[in-house]
Amino acid sequence: MTNDELRVSADRVLSRLVGDTTGTAKLREDQWRAIEALVADHRRALVVQRTGWGKSAVYFVATALLRERGSGPTVIVSPLLALMRNQVEAAERAGIRARTINSANIEEWETVQAEVAEGTVDVLLVSPERLNNPDFRDQVLPKLAASTGLLVVDEAHCISDWGHDFRPDYRRLRTMLADLRPDVPVLATTATANARVTKDVAEQLGTGEGTAETLVLRGPLDRESLSLGVLNLPDAAHRLAWLADHLNELPGSGIIYTLTVSAADEVTAYLRQCGHEVAAYSGKTEDSDRRAAEADLLANRVKALVATSALGMGFDKPDLGFVVHLGSPASPIAYYQQVGRAGRGVEHAEVLLLPGREDEAIWRYFASLAFPSEEQVRRTLEVLTAAGRPLSLPALEPQVELRRSRLETMLKVLDVDGAVHRVRGGWTATGQPWTYDAERYAWVARQRAAEQQAMRDYATSTGCRMEFLRRQLDDEAATPCGRCDNCAQPRFSAEVSPAALQTARGELDRPGVDVEPRRMWPTGLPAIGVELKGRIPVGQQAAPGRALGRLSDIGWGNRLRPLLAPQSPDGAVPGDVADAVVTVLADWAKGPGGWASGAPDAPRRPVGVVTLDSRTRPRLVHSLGERIAAVGRMPLLGTVTYRDQGIDTRVPRTNSAQRLRALDGALIVPPTLADALATAGGPVLLVDDYTDTGWTLAIAARLLRQAGAEGVFPLVLAVQG
């Protein structure tokens, strides 16, 4: 078949894919160049094109043509379930049978693998985390590498740790790329890669002997349908009120992005209260609820999804009319990617950024989760080596100062680097030499800082906003768009109605969140010398507690973050904070399960207040305890203190086992407090400033219960999360 004949066949497949019954659909020139490279020349190609350009058309058309020539199935590595669902439907329109292997269809894996082996599957979509599953890696991946007719890496910027959304699971692709036959074509696609990431991904695609240089097709990144704007509003209440007043002015249906799960929940509750049809969508949303929310947005049954970045790559709604960000992402590249959800199939879509003062604190938190220090990595390798057997994450976690999610991410990187190996039962050290690339990690950290500054600059820029974003992605064709609020006139007023503002303030000022007590000791404590395991005896547990707010809230979080920041001076609890805590206490007492609820099984009213010793904010905690005792007309019984005043029990952002090891034997109930508990004869309120892991409260409650307290009700200013 000549290339001209191949072009005719390609256009015919495209017509089926897009539902064009006239058969007149034509590929863009760069789409055809990519397909020609894959099908005719069996090359490796990287396509960097704006969202909505038609990257999926390239690999589906190429798949159909390769299958007609007898090639094996196409394997698409795809990051999100929403993307998989959309692509399976798109493939079916072109007569392409597509199946998936991901965490949501475990029961279908064997059937799908059998169908692939039988040759009845044209496209297999695989989630990147499957690549690091031992059974899949050792049993399925080699067979796929041997039989694959085309490998597609979607959202390929995730391969590069230079990029904003690096995912270590993607690094396993290096192994698969190296194992492919040189004549197997490979396609990588992304809409969000600057020049550095593009170069890195192209180099990685060239892995394997006999492979030609990667063809890079990079197009202009302008989105002619998008009108960008920024509204700098005074505070979170004004931003919520603006949404309530103006949401129905935005075209069609869309997405309201928030930076945290708690903010998504807060905004959803407020907008529903104001009569808007919206739904929350985050990483904590159940899969069935996610599917329902996606379907409601696709069918325009809701005005908006209030979502975290969990609704990101791959969600495909061509007529999405707007994207609003309530809070600024830390990267202009991430921002460009998210706003690219809008305006794919409509002439005009609105994009608005409403930055908040909490943004910087949230950026700092996520920056703290970067690749661990060399000391932490070496310690992990030492533990694995000394074990001489596979260690699961629960078994390894107590012996290193890393939380499980961060530990797992680090191990995946080390796995690809050859320092560790994931096997059935856990992880083992390989003994191979490994070098900590401090220079690279430092460069990435500097890049993150530069990206954050770029987002500050974007929010205050007087120049073209689309040009700004395109230049951040190294788009050399960037010119003023003529559509944004700086090129043209702003299309939205910053004014909000008094009624909406009052409602928003009422919503954000409503204090009180639950603090769930710890019920089980972490696994693996005996291995680090802490003889605790299993369920915490009921008679030693804390009762469910309360906090004034979450540090990630856009309401009380904004008030509490400066108060509890490490550099903040210690002092008496501010009056507004103390008053709000009293409100929390009153609502708690009268609410379900409260001692003043009148329920038959309601606990006894607390008979006293106990504070927790604080190394950083002793005046704050003590004054809070005094205020609660005075308002509740209860005695301030005393303080749970540290046995050794010289010991430092602060273990920042570490795991539960390490926190417990630091606390083991460190806290005591002084004799004066024990005597006061015996005299008081009832439950107590346990007051502290902040809880993260919950283990300080759990240990203190256990000691108080053992000293005679009938019950312990934790009451803190803030919780993390």
Side-chain angles (χ1 to χ4, degrees):
M1 182 183 292
T2 66
N3 279 12
D4 289 341
E5 292 171 329
L6 187 64
R7 176 71 183 264
V8 172
S9 296
D11 287 337
R12 190 181 304 121
V13 175
L14 178 68
S15 294
R16 295 201 306 267
L17 186 67
V18 300
D20 174 31
T21 56
T22 66
T24 57
K26 300 293 181 184
L27 290 160
R28 294 189 176 96
E29 193 56 37
D30 270 1
Q31 286 177 316
W32 163 242
R33 285 184 63 198
I35 292 168
E36 182 182 37
L38 296 170
V39 179
D41 302 330
H42 293 266
R43 290 188 63 183
R44 298 187 174 188
L46 169 60
V47 173
V48 183
Q49 296 283 359
R50 60 179 175 79
T51 303
W53 175 85
K55 295 181 287 294
S56 61
V58 172
Y59 50 74
F60 282 136
V61 171
T63 293
L65 298 176
L66 287 166
R67 292 291 278 168
E68 288 175 2
R69 294 181 166 202
S71 293
T74 291
V75 175
I76 302 176
V77 180
S78 175
L80 291 181
L81 299 183
L83 177 64
M84 291 189 179
R85 290 192 283 271
N86 291 333
Q87 292 191 336
V88 168
E89 294 169 2
E92 289 175 350
R93 289 196 298 269
I96 297 170
R97 178 170 167 76
R99 298 298 304 272
T100 70
I101 292 181
N102 59 69
S103 58
N105 71 340
I106 297 174
E107 70 284 352
E108 299 177 12
W109 288 0
E110 289 188 10
T111 301
V112 172
Q113 291 171 21
E115 291 173 347
V116 171
E118 293 166 1
T120 59
V121 173
D122 300 310
V123 171
L124 178 66
L125 292 106
V126 180
S127 57
E129 69 268 15
R130 286 299 94 213
L131 303 177
N132 262 315
N133 175 275
D135 288 343
F136 188 88
R137 180 197 64 211
D138 297 336
Q139 299 177 26
V140 180
L141 200 58
K143 296 176 183 176
L144 285 179
S147 63
T148 295
L150 169 65
L151 175 64
V152 177
V153 183
D154 213 355
E155 307 298 349
H157 58 275
C158 295
I159 293 177
S160 175
D161 60 2
W162 302 104
H164 75 280
D165 197 23
F166 167 63
R167 302 188 181 193
D169 286 313
Y170 265 75
R171 295 185 65 156
R172 178 56 57 191
L173 283 164
R174 295 181 183 178
T175 303
M176 188 171 181
L177 286 166
D179 291 344
L180 289 175
R181 300 185 313 276
D183 63 338
V184 174
V186 177
L187 171 67
T189 67
T190 181
T192 49
N194 58 19
R196 180 68 186 86
V197 173
T198 298
K199 181 175 183 292
D200 188 30
V201 174
E203 289 174 352
Q204 293 192 46
L205 290 182
T207 302
E209 293 186 13
T211 54
E213 182 180 352
T214 300
L215 171 67
V216 178
L217 298 172
R218 184 181 174 93
L221 299 178
D222 189 20
R223 296 292 310 281
E224 295 88 349
S225 62
L226 299 186
S227 296
L228 305 180
V230 176
L231 285 173
N232 287 291
L233 299 171
D235 53 33
H238 278 81
R239 287 183 288 147
L240 281 187
W242 189 93
L243 282 173
D245 283 343
H246 298 278
L247 186 58
N248 285 334
E249 299 172 17
L250 298 172
S253 56
I255 302 171
I256 301 169
Y257 277 111
T258 65
L259 299 186
T260 66
V261 173
S262 59
D265 292 338
E266 283 181 290
V267 174
T268 301
Y270 168 74
L271 291 177
R272 284 177 174 170
Q273 181 183 343
C274 295
H276 293 289
E277 291 291 333
V278 297
Y281 189 109
S282 73
K284 293 188 177 179
T285 306
E286 294 290 337
D287 184 63
S288 59
D289 293 334
R290 284 199 198 192
R291 288 173 179 259
E294 291 169 12
D296 286 343
L297 183 60
L298 289 169
N300 297 316
R301 290 189 290 267
V302 293
K303 180 65 177 179
L305 293 188
V306 185
T308 65
S309 58
L311 182 69
M313 295 181 294
F315 182 78
D316 186 16
K317 178 176 167 61
D319 62 339
L320 199 74
F322 65 89
V323 169
V324 176
H325 277 78
L326 197 71
S328 177
S331 160
I333 303 175
Y335 183 63
Y336 175 87
Q337 181 191 71
Q338 290 177 349
V339 303
R341 307 269 72 78
R344 298 187 188 189
V346 293
E347 292 185 1
H348 176 77
E350 293 289 348
V351 171
L352 286 169
L353 173 64
L354 280 60
R357 62 190 177 107
E358 71 274 6
D359 298 351
E360 301 263 348
I362 295 170
W363 294 351
R364 286 193 296 272
Y365 172 76
F366 286 114
S368 72
L369 305 180
F371 195 76
S373 67
E374 182 171 5
E375 180 182 0
Q376 291 172 312
V377 179
R378 296 292 180 196
R379 169 61 182 166
T380 304
L381 292 174
E382 289 171 3
V383 171
L384 288 173
T385 301
R389 58 181 176 81
L391 290 181
S392 65
L393 284 173
L396 180 58
E397 184 182 22
Q399 303 183 62
V400 296
E401 293 185 2
L402 290 168
R403 287 189 174 177
R404 187 169 302 182
S405 58
R406 198 172 175 211
L407 173 61
E408 184 176 21
T409 297
M410 181 191 74
L411 288 169
K412 289 176 179 178
V413 173
L414 295 177
D415 190 359
V416 177
D417 289 346
V420 303
H421 192 54
R422 188 179 179 188
V423 298
R424 276 180 173 268
W427 300 83
T428 61
T430 64
Q432 295 183 18
W434 179 80
T435 301
Y436 187 87
D437 196 344
E439 183 178 349
R440 185 181 184 93
Y441 300 138
W443 191 98
V444 171
R446 292 193 298 272
Q447 182 71 6
R448 298 289 184 268
E451 289 173 344
Q452 292 173 9
Q453 183 57 49
M455 285 309 299
R456 298 185 193 99
D457 295 342
Y458 175 83
T460 58
S461 173
T462 57
C464 174
R465 299 196 192 277
M466 180 58 79
E467 182 182 19
F468 183 99
L469 292 179
R470 292 174 66 185
R471 291 197 183 282
Q472 288 295 314
L473 277 95
D474 298 319
D475 183 355
E476 296 178 357
T479 55
C481 70
R483 304 179 304 273
C484 70
D485 59 348
N486 286 336
C487 288
Q489 292 297 316
R491 291 169 301 285
F492 296 97
S493 166
E495 293 183 2
V496 299
S497 67
L501 185 58
Q502 181 179 358
T503 305
R505 283 178 173 155
E507 181 69 23
L508 294 177
D509 289 346
R510 182 179 296 114
V513 296
D514 293 337
V515 176
E516 287 299 320
R518 289 288 188 170
R519 310 279 191 201
M520 300 285 293
W521 298 117
T523 57
L525 288 179
I528 56 172
V530 180
E531 295 303 322
L532 297 170
K533 59 183 178 180
R535 184 175 179 82
I536 302 173
V538 174
Q540 297 178 12
Q541 291 180 15
R546 294 290 188 278
L548 176 54
R550 298 183 184 89
L551 290 182
S552 57
D553 289 345
I554 58 176
W556 274 105
N558 280 337
R559 178 68 179 93
L560 293 170
R561 275 191 300 272
L563 181 65
L564 300 178
Q567 69 275 15
S568 297
D570 185 28
V573 61
D576 63 325
V577 174
D579 290 343
V581 173
V582 171
T583 300
V584 171
L585 190 60
D587 292 343
W588 183 11
K590 298 173 184 177
W595 49 89
S597 63
D601 57 348
R604 288 182 60 194
R605 182 184 187 275
V607 297
V609 176
V610 176
T611 58
L612 257 166
D613 193 7
S614 173
R615 297 295 171 78
T616 54
R617 288 177 282 270
R619 291 182 59 198
L620 177 69
V621 175
H622 187 74
S623 64
L624 178 60
E626 286 183 324
R627 176 64 186 275
I628 292 170
V631 170
R633 298 180 181 178
M634 297 176 287
L636 183 59
L637 300 175
T639 300
V640 176
T641 62
Y642 289 100
R643 185 184 304 276
D644 180 356
Q645 292 300 313
I647 191 172
D648 186 357
T649 60
R650 292 170 294 173
V651 187
R653 305 205 190 288
T654 190
N655 58 55
S656 292
Q658 289 293 320
R659 181 62 181 160
L660 273 171
R661 183 169 72 169
L663 290 168
D664 185 39
L667 291 173
I668 60 171
V669 174
T672 53
L673 175 55
D675 292 343
L677 289 170
T679 304
V684 298
L685 286 170
L686 176 61
V687 176
D688 201 5
D689 55 350
Y690 163 76
T691 183
D692 184 1
T693 65
W695 286 116
T696 302
L697 293 176
I699 292 293
R702 178 173 181 255
L703 292 172
L704 290 169
R705 296 295 301 272
Q706 290 173 330
E710 183 179 299
V712 177
F713 298 99
L715 180 62
V716 298
L717 292 179
V719 294
Q720 179 71 55

